[in-house]
Amino acid sequence: MKVGFIGFGEVASTLSKGLIDNGVEVYTSLEGRSIKTCSLAKEMCINICKDYKEVAVISDIIISAVVPAKAVEVAREIGEYSNAVYVDINNVSPKTVKKALSYIKNHKTVDAAIIGSIKRNGIKVQIITSGKSATQFAKLKDYGMNIKIIGSEIGQASTLKMLRSSYTKGISALLFESLYTAYKMDLDNEFLKCLELTECPGFRESAISRIISSGFHADRRAQEMEEVLEMMSDYDNPFISRATAEFFKTLSKKLDKIDKKFEDYKNLFEKISD
Amino acid sequence: MKVGFIGFGEVASTLSKGLIDNGVEVYTSLEGRSIKTCSLAKEMCINICKDYKEVAVISDIIISAVVPAKAVEVAREIGEYSNAVYVDINNVSPKTVKKALSYIKNHKTVDAAIIGSIKRNGIKVQIITSGKSATQFAKLKDYGMNIKIIGSEIGQASTLKMLRSSYTKGISALLFESLYTAYKMDLDNEFLKCLELTECPGFRESAISRIISSGFHADRRAQEMEEVLEMMSDYDNPFISRATAEFFKTLSKKLDKIDKKFEDYKNLFEKISD
């Protein structure tokens, strides 16, 4: 089994490692990559091709794992050279997945999405997938991957990922907003204790990690929420998702300025991290 | 120890039962109550006074447990007749608690709030409390109650309850909105499964119960959220709480009409309850 990766960031390198451990031949190209990435790929016994076209020609399964903005571009670049199953595992909207996969001339396409943390779970991270060629991609279960087919149409996996995103980002915004209000009233610790009474074990750690990571990634989340919002608006009036998008947009702007508000957030982060 | 209840709904009758089992003398008045309530009170060996003034005069601790709209009125009615500690355990805003307790002439006042389900937990339900006389109220811990002092000022307990409310109602609205969108895409079951992967055990049951109960109590929640919103707006711009209030207001209006949308909700409720 030959698996080619387009892109070699955290997702590609983590999956590569697991697949190689399970006897898969892994291919990628390192054109334009950093020295650090190049030496990582070489240490891991990955087969290095001169460009992505070569990766496309040689592989049985191609996994596109690039930055969201590149998903369509790389598909267009190699779409006509390959006879492989092409899997788009990028963090993009169903619309973008469909556009990217429209460039794959052999029509052996798969929509895939990572659920949960690849850092924490490695190759065992849950991957949901849809599309007519999903069964071929799912053969990688025999090589250590945790793939679940959820449907036969392109767009279903990425839709589910976006719906999940609306939920998890909504929780983060809600927690941040209510804890920040509690903090302004000097009731933050009591508030967390009060929620702990009825929420599940591990609630406090998970809440604090969600709040702090909201602070760090507010800008990216605001952008991701715009895509979620666009998708949800086709079905209903998404009050909470719209508010979540606005929340992260405003938070990101506030955190850009070193003012009183920012100091307040910093103090809150420090207080709850103790 | 003599404890008097103003009002005899679910909260008062549940706490009464537990207190009597622990040797407390419980007093109330049944003026204007239903036959069912009267016979319940009599079966439970509660001492029946001719009116709330008599309850106020006789008790060491008075617990006001009435419908929110009556909290101020009952305090005004009996405020000058009592030497007891007066506990407002009603589901009202800090502002309303302060107004009610301003009528208690002896100033032995306590702000209290129930956290979680009294139906499920009985007398062991967590009660948070604040105010200068909270320590006297907390003596009822010796008689089976689960009371936690969180501060010395009137308003702190009810503030915490409202903050908690903003969180729990926000989660319900978020779950409802995202699951409904998933349902419109025929992905509801996959969506719940997908969240179950990373949420804690029991997530599905709790989510379903939150969604269905949102449908049943949309109108009451919309009203409660208005009070939460008013309180939070004094501290920050509450995006998510405002959206939660709007969500429940709209849901309540939709559920009032027997139209296509309502049918859709009903189908969703039936589907997830299976």
Short mmCIF file of all heavy atoms in Angstrom, two decimals, chain B residues 169-216:
data_model
loop_
_atom_site.label_atom_id
_atom_site.label_comp_id
_atom_site.label_asym_id
_atom_site.label_seq_id
_atom_site.Cartn_x
_atom_site.Cartn_y
_atom_site.Cartn_z
N LYS B 169 -28.63 27.44 30.06
CA LYS B 169 -29.59 27.75 28.99
C LYS B 169 -28.87 27.98 27.66
O LYS B 169 -29.40 27.65 26.60
CB LYS B 169 -30.44 28.96 29.36
CG LYS B 169 -31.40 28.66 30.48
CD LYS B 169 -32.35 29.81 30.76
CE LYS B 169 -33.31 29.44 31.87
NZ LYS B 169 -32.63 29.19 33.17
N GLY B 170 -27.67 28.54 27.73
CA GLY B 170 -26.86 28.73 26.52
C GLY B 170 -26.53 27.39 25.88
O GLY B 170 -26.65 27.22 24.67
N ILE B 171 -26.13 26.42 26.70
CA ILE B 171 -25.83 25.08 26.20
C ILE B 171 -27.06 24.49 25.53
O ILE B 171 -26.99 23.91 24.44
CB ILE B 171 -25.43 24.13 27.35
CG1 ILE B 171 -24.17 24.59 28.02
CG2 ILE B 171 -25.32 22.70 26.84
CD1 ILE B 171 -22.93 23.89 27.58
N SER B 172 -28.21 24.62 26.18
CA SER B 172 -29.43 24.04 25.62
C SER B 172 -29.75 24.66 24.27
O SER B 172 -30.08 23.95 23.31
CB SER B 172 -30.62 24.28 26.56
OG SER B 172 -30.40 23.62 27.78
N ALA B 173 -29.64 25.98 24.18
CA ALA B 173 -29.94 26.66 22.92
C ALA B 173 -28.96 26.22 21.83
O ALA B 173 -29.35 25.94 20.69
CB ALA B 173 -29.88 28.17 23.12
N LEU B 174 -27.69 26.14 22.20
CA LEU B 174 -26.64 25.74 21.26
C LEU B 174 -26.87 24.33 20.74
O LEU B 174 -26.78 24.05 19.54
CB LEU B 174 -25.30 25.84 21.99
CG LEU B 174 -24.04 25.38 21.31
CD1 LEU B 174 -23.80 26.17 20.03
CD2 LEU B 174 -22.84 25.53 22.25
N LEU B 175 -27.19 23.41 21.66
CA LEU B 175 -27.46 22.03 21.28
C LEU B 175 -28.67 21.96 20.36
O LEU B 175 -28.66 21.26 19.35
CB LEU B 175 -27.76 21.19 22.53
CG LEU B 175 -26.58 20.58 23.23
CD1 LEU B 175 -27.00 20.04 24.58
CD2 LEU B 175 -25.97 19.47 22.39
N PHE B 176 -29.72 22.68 20.73
CA PHE B 176 -30.96 22.66 19.95
C PHE B 176 -30.67 23.15 18.54
O PHE B 176 -31.01 22.51 17.55
CB PHE B 176 -32.01 23.54 20.63
CG PHE B 176 -33.42 23.30 20.17
CD1 PHE B 176 -34.37 22.80 21.04
CD2 PHE B 176 -33.79 23.58 18.86
CE1 PHE B 176 -35.67 22.56 20.62
CE2 PHE B 176 -35.09 23.35 18.43
CZ PHE B 176 -36.03 22.84 19.31
N GLU B 177 -30.01 24.30 18.47
CA GLU B 177 -29.75 24.92 17.16
C GLU B 177 -28.89 24.02 16.27
O GLU B 177 -29.21 23.80 15.10
CB GLU B 177 -29.05 26.26 17.38
CG GLU B 177 -28.74 27.01 16.10
CD GLU B 177 -28.16 28.40 16.39
OE1 GLU B 177 -28.89 29.24 16.95
OE2 GLU B 177 -26.99 28.63 16.08
N SER B 178 -27.82 23.47 16.83
CA SER B 178 -26.93 22.69 15.97
C SER B 178 -27.56 21.33 15.63
O SER B 178 -27.44 20.86 14.49
CB SER B 178 -25.53 22.56 16.57
OG SER B 178 -25.58 22.22 17.92
N LEU B 179 -28.26 20.72 16.60
CA LEU B 179 -28.90 19.44 16.29
C LEU B 179 -30.03 19.62 15.27
O LEU B 179 -30.23 18.78 14.40
CB LEU B 179 -29.44 18.75 17.55
CG LEU B 179 -29.97 17.34 17.26
CD1 LEU B 179 -28.85 16.37 16.92
CD2 LEU B 179 -30.78 16.78 18.41
N TYR B 180 -30.76 20.71 15.39
CA TYR B 180 -31.85 20.95 14.44
C TYR B 180 -31.30 21.12 13.01
O TYR B 180 -31.84 20.58 12.05
CB TYR B 180 -32.68 22.16 14.85
CG TYR B 180 -33.85 22.42 13.92
CD1 TYR B 180 -34.90 21.52 13.83
CD2 TYR B 180 -33.89 23.56 13.12
CE1 TYR B 180 -35.97 21.73 12.97
CE2 TYR B 180 -34.96 23.79 12.25
CZ TYR B 180 -35.99 22.87 12.18
OH TYR B 180 -37.03 23.08 11.33
N THR B 181 -30.19 21.84 12.90
CA THR B 181 -29.56 22.00 11.58
C THR B 181 -29.10 20.63 11.06
O THR B 181 -29.32 20.30 9.89
CB THR B 181 -28.37 22.97 11.65
OG1 THR B 181 -28.78 24.16 12.31
CG2 THR B 181 -27.86 23.32 10.27
N ALA B 182 -28.48 19.85 11.94
CA ALA B 182 -28.04 18.51 11.54
C ALA B 182 -29.24 17.68 11.08
O ALA B 182 -29.16 16.94 10.09
CB ALA B 182 -27.34 17.82 12.71
N TYR B 183 -30.34 17.81 11.80
CA TYR B 183 -31.57 17.06 11.48
C TYR B 183 -32.08 17.45 10.08
O TYR B 183 -32.49 16.58 9.29
CB TYR B 183 -32.60 17.36 12.56
CG TYR B 183 -34.01 16.90 12.25
CD1 TYR B 183 -34.35 15.55 12.30
CD2 TYR B 183 -35.00 17.82 11.95
CE1 TYR B 183 -35.64 15.13 12.04
CE2 TYR B 183 -36.30 17.41 11.69
CZ TYR B 183 -36.62 16.06 11.73
OH TYR B 183 -37.88 15.67 11.47
N LYS B 184 -32.04 18.75 9.79
CA LYS B 184 -32.48 19.20 8.46
C LYS B 184 -31.60 18.61 7.36
O LYS B 184 -32.00 18.51 6.22
CB LYS B 184 -32.44 20.74 8.37
CG LYS B 184 -33.35 21.46 9.34
CD LYS B 184 -34.80 21.30 9.00
CE LYS B 184 -35.25 22.28 7.94
NZ LYS B 184 -36.70 22.14 7.67
N MET B 185 -30.36 18.27 7.72
CA MET B 185 -29.44 17.68 6.75
C MET B 185 -29.44 16.16 6.83
O MET B 185 -28.60 15.51 6.21
CB MET B 185 -28.01 18.16 7.04
CG MET B 185 -27.82 19.65 6.93
SD MET B 185 -26.18 20.06 7.57
CE MET B 185 -26.06 21.78 7.09
N ASP B 186 -30.33 15.61 7.68
CA ASP B 186 -30.39 14.17 7.92
C ASP B 186 -29.08 13.63 8.49
O ASP B 186 -28.63 12.53 8.16
CB ASP B 186 -30.76 13.43 6.62
CG ASP B 186 -31.33 12.05 6.92
OD1 ASP B 186 -31.78 11.84 8.06
OD2 ASP B 186 -31.31 11.18 6.04
N LEU B 187 -28.46 14.44 9.35
CA LEU B 187 -27.18 14.03 9.96
C LEU B 187 -27.27 14.05 11.49
O LEU B 187 -26.26 14.04 12.17
CB LEU B 187 -26.06 14.99 9.51
CG LEU B 187 -25.47 14.79 8.11
CD1 LEU B 187 -24.54 15.93 7.75
CD2 LEU B 187 -24.73 13.46 8.00
N ASP B 188 -28.51 14.11 12.04
CA ASP B 188 -28.66 14.28 13.48
C ASP B 188 -28.02 13.15 14.29
O ASP B 188 -27.34 13.39 15.28
CB ASP B 188 -30.13 14.47 13.87
CG ASP B 188 -31.04 13.47 13.20
OD1 ASP B 188 -31.19 13.55 11.96
OD2 ASP B 188 -31.60 12.61 13.89
N ASN B 189 -28.26 11.91 13.85
CA ASN B 189 -27.70 10.80 14.62
C ASN B 189 -26.18 10.79 14.53
O ASN B 189 -25.49 10.62 15.55
CB ASN B 189 -28.29 9.48 14.09
CG ASN B 189 -27.98 8.34 15.03
OD1 ASN B 189 -27.86 8.54 16.24
ND2 ASN B 189 -27.82 7.16 14.47
N GLU B 190 -25.65 11.02 13.34
CA GLU B 190 -24.20 11.07 13.17
C GLU B 190 -23.61 12.23 13.98
O GLU B 190 -22.53 12.11 14.54
CB GLU B 190 -23.83 11.24 11.69
CG GLU B 190 -24.05 10.01 10.85
CD GLU B 190 -23.27 8.78 11.35
OE1 GLU B 190 -22.25 8.96 12.01
OE2 GLU B 190 -23.72 7.66 11.08
N PHE B 191 -24.34 13.33 14.04
CA PHE B 191 -23.87 14.49 14.78
C PHE B 191 -23.75 14.16 16.28
O PHE B 191 -22.73 14.45 16.91
CB PHE B 191 -24.84 15.66 14.57
CG PHE B 191 -24.51 16.91 15.34
CD1 PHE B 191 -23.29 17.54 15.17
CD2 PHE B 191 -25.41 17.45 16.24
CE1 PHE B 191 -22.97 18.70 15.88
CE2 PHE B 191 -25.10 18.60 16.95
CZ PHE B 191 -23.88 19.22 16.78
N LEU B 192 -24.78 13.54 16.83
CA LEU B 192 -24.73 13.17 18.25
C LEU B 192 -23.59 12.18 18.51
O LEU B 192 -22.84 12.32 19.48
CB LEU B 192 -26.06 12.58 18.71
CG LEU B 192 -27.19 13.59 18.92
CD1 LEU B 192 -28.51 12.89 19.22
CD2 LEU B 192 -26.86 14.57 20.04
N LYS B 193 -23.45 11.21 17.62
CA LYS B 193 -22.36 10.22 17.77
C LYS B 193 -21.00 10.90 17.75
O LYS B 193 -20.09 10.55 18.49
CB LYS B 193 -22.42 9.20 16.63
CG LYS B 193 -23.39 8.08 16.87
CD LYS B 193 -23.06 6.95 15.90
CE LYS B 193 -24.33 6.30 15.38
NZ LYS B 193 -24.11 5.57 14.14
N CYS B 194 -20.90 11.90 16.87
CA CYS B 194 -19.65 12.61 16.67
C CYS B 194 -19.29 13.42 17.93
O CYS B 194 -18.13 13.46 18.35
CB CYS B 194 -19.85 13.51 15.45
SG CYS B 194 -18.46 14.41 14.93
N LEU B 195 -20.30 14.03 18.55
CA LEU B 195 -20.03 14.78 19.79
C LEU B 195 -19.70 13.82 20.94
O LEU B 195 -18.84 14.11 21.77
CB LEU B 195 -21.23 15.64 20.17
CG LEU B 195 -21.53 16.84 19.26
CD1 LEU B 195 -22.73 17.61 19.78
CD2 LEU B 195 -20.33 17.77 19.15
N GLU B 196 -20.38 12.68 20.94
CA GLU B 196 -20.13 11.69 22.00
C GLU B 196 -18.67 11.27 22.08
O GLU B 196 -18.19 10.91 23.15
CB GLU B 196 -20.99 10.44 21.75
CG GLU B 196 -22.38 10.51 22.33
CD GLU B 196 -23.15 9.22 22.10
OE1 GLU B 196 -23.25 8.82 20.91
OE2 GLU B 196 -23.63 8.64 23.07
N LEU B 197 -18.00 11.29 20.92
CA LEU B 197 -16.59 10.87 20.87
C LEU B 197 -15.73 11.67 21.83
O LEU B 197 -14.78 11.14 22.41
CB LEU B 197 -16.03 11.07 19.46
CG LEU B 197 -16.47 10.08 18.39
CD1 LEU B 197 -15.96 10.54 17.05
CD2 LEU B 197 -15.94 8.70 18.74
N THR B 198 -16.02 12.98 21.94
CA THR B 198 -15.12 13.81 22.75
C THR B 198 -15.80 14.38 24.00
O THR B 198 -15.12 14.93 24.86
CB THR B 198 -14.55 14.97 21.91
OG1 THR B 198 -15.63 15.58 21.19
CG2 THR B 198 -13.51 14.47 20.91
N GLU B 199 -17.13 14.29 24.09
CA GLU B 199 -17.80 14.79 25.29
C GLU B 199 -17.81 13.67 26.35
O GLU B 199 -17.41 12.55 26.08
CB GLU B 199 -19.22 15.26 24.96
CG GLU B 199 -19.27 16.42 23.97
CD GLU B 199 -18.57 17.69 24.48
OE1 GLU B 199 -18.80 18.09 25.62
OE2 GLU B 199 -17.78 18.28 23.71
N CYS B 200 -18.29 14.01 27.55
CA CYS B 200 -18.16 13.03 28.63
C CYS B 200 -19.28 11.98 28.59
O CYS B 200 -20.28 12.16 27.90
CB CYS B 200 -18.13 13.75 29.97
SG CYS B 200 -19.64 14.63 30.31
N PRO B 201 -19.10 10.89 29.35
CA PRO B 201 -20.12 9.83 29.36
C PRO B 201 -21.48 10.40 29.76
O PRO B 201 -21.55 11.31 30.58
CB PRO B 201 -19.61 8.88 30.44
CG PRO B 201 -18.16 9.17 30.61
CD PRO B 201 -17.98 10.61 30.27
N GLY B 202 -22.52 9.88 29.18
CA GLY B 202 -23.86 10.38 29.50
C GLY B 202 -24.24 11.60 28.67
O GLY B 202 -25.32 12.16 28.84
N PHE B 203 -23.36 12.00 27.75
CA PHE B 203 -23.61 13.22 26.97
C PHE B 203 -24.92 13.14 26.19
O PHE B 203 -25.72 14.05 26.19
CB PHE B 203 -22.44 13.50 26.00
CG PHE B 203 -22.78 14.55 24.99
CD1 PHE B 203 -22.75 15.89 25.34
CD2 PHE B 203 -23.18 14.22 23.71
CE1 PHE B 203 -23.10 16.88 24.42
CE2 PHE B 203 -23.52 15.19 22.78
CZ PHE B 203 -23.49 16.52 23.14
N ARG B 204 -25.15 12.00 25.51
CA ARG B 204 -26.32 11.90 24.63
C ARG B 204 -27.62 12.07 25.43
O ARG B 204 -28.49 12.87 25.05
CB ARG B 204 -26.33 10.56 23.91
CG ARG B 204 -27.55 10.36 23.00
CD ARG B 204 -27.53 9.00 22.34
NE ARG B 204 -26.64 8.98 21.21
CZ ARG B 204 -27.03 8.97 19.92
NH1 ARG B 204 -28.30 8.95 19.62
NH2 ARG B 204 -26.16 8.97 18.95
N GLU B 205 -27.74 11.37 26.54
CA GLU B 205 -28.96 11.44 27.35
C GLU B 205 -29.18 12.88 27.83
O GLU B 205 -30.28 13.42 27.77
CB GLU B 205 -28.87 10.52 28.58
CG GLU B 205 -28.86 9.02 28.25
CD GLU B 205 -27.58 8.58 27.52
OE1 GLU B 205 -26.52 9.18 27.75
OE2 GLU B 205 -27.67 7.64 26.69
N SER B 206 -28.11 13.47 28.32
CA SER B 206 -28.22 14.83 28.85
C SER B 206 -28.56 15.81 27.73
O SER B 206 -29.40 16.72 27.90
CB SER B 206 -26.92 15.19 29.58
OG SER B 206 -26.51 16.48 29.27
N ALA B 207 -27.98 15.63 26.55
CA ALA B 207 -28.27 16.52 25.42
C ALA B 207 -29.73 16.40 25.01
O ALA B 207 -30.42 17.41 24.82
CB ALA B 207 -27.34 16.18 24.25
N ILE B 208 -30.21 15.18 24.89
CA ILE B 208 -31.59 14.96 24.47
C ILE B 208 -32.56 15.55 25.48
O ILE B 208 -33.53 16.22 25.14
CB ILE B 208 -31.84 13.45 24.23
CG1 ILE B 208 -31.07 13.02 22.99
CG2 ILE B 208 -33.33 13.15 24.08
CD1 ILE B 208 -31.08 11.54 22.71
N SER B 209 -32.25 15.33 26.76
CA SER B 209 -33.14 15.86 27.80
C SER B 209 -33.14 17.40 27.76
O SER B 209 -34.18 18.04 27.90
CB SER B 209 -32.74 15.29 29.16
OG SER B 209 -32.67 16.28 30.13
N ARG B 210 -31.97 18.00 27.51
CA ARG B 210 -31.90 19.47 27.43
C ARG B 210 -32.70 20.00 26.23
O ARG B 210 -33.38 21.01 26.33
CB ARG B 210 -30.44 19.93 27.30
CG ARG B 210 -29.77 20.02 28.65
CD ARG B 210 -28.26 20.27 28.56
NE ARG B 210 -27.80 20.84 29.82
CZ ARG B 210 -26.54 20.83 30.24
NH1 ARG B 210 -25.60 20.31 29.50
NH2 ARG B 210 -26.21 21.36 31.40
N ILE B 211 -32.61 19.30 25.12
CA ILE B 211 -33.29 19.77 23.91
C ILE B 211 -34.81 19.66 24.06
O ILE B 211 -35.54 20.61 23.76
CB ILE B 211 -32.81 18.95 22.68
CG1 ILE B 211 -31.37 19.37 22.34
CG2 ILE B 211 -33.73 19.15 21.49
CD1 ILE B 211 -30.65 18.42 21.44
N ILE B 212 -35.27 18.52 24.56
CA ILE B 212 -36.72 18.34 24.69
C ILE B 212 -37.28 19.31 25.72
O ILE B 212 -38.32 19.95 25.51
CB ILE B 212 -37.05 16.88 25.00
CG1 ILE B 212 -36.70 16.04 23.76
CG2 ILE B 212 -38.52 16.70 25.39
CD1 ILE B 212 -36.92 14.57 23.88
N SER B 213 -36.56 19.46 26.82
CA SER B 213 -37.07 20.37 27.85
C SER B 213 -37.02 21.83 27.35
O SER B 213 -37.86 22.65 27.74
CB SER B 213 -36.32 20.13 29.16
OG SER B 213 -35.74 21.26 29.65
N SER B 214 -36.10 22.16 26.45
CA SER B 214 -36.11 23.49 25.83
C SER B 214 -37.38 23.71 25.05
O SER B 214 -37.94 24.81 25.03
CB SER B 214 -34.93 23.65 24.86
OG SER B 214 -33.73 23.61 25.55
N GLY B 215 -37.82 22.67 24.36
CA GLY B 215 -39.05 22.76 23.59
C GLY B 215 -40.25 23.00 24.50
O GLY B 215 -41.10 23.85 24.21
N PHE B 216 -40.29 22.29 25.63
CA PHE B 216 -41.44 22.41 26.52
C PHE B 216 -41.47 23.74 27.28
O PHE B 216 -42.52 24.28 27.55
CB PHE B 216 -41.46 21.25 27.53
CG PHE B 216 -42.07 20.01 26.96
CD1 PHE B 216 -41.29 18.92 26.60
CD2 PHE B 216 -43.45 19.94 26.77
CE1 PHE B 216 -41.86 17.78 26.05
CE2 PHE B 216 -44.02 18.80 26.21
CZ PHE B 216 -43.23 17.72 25.85
#
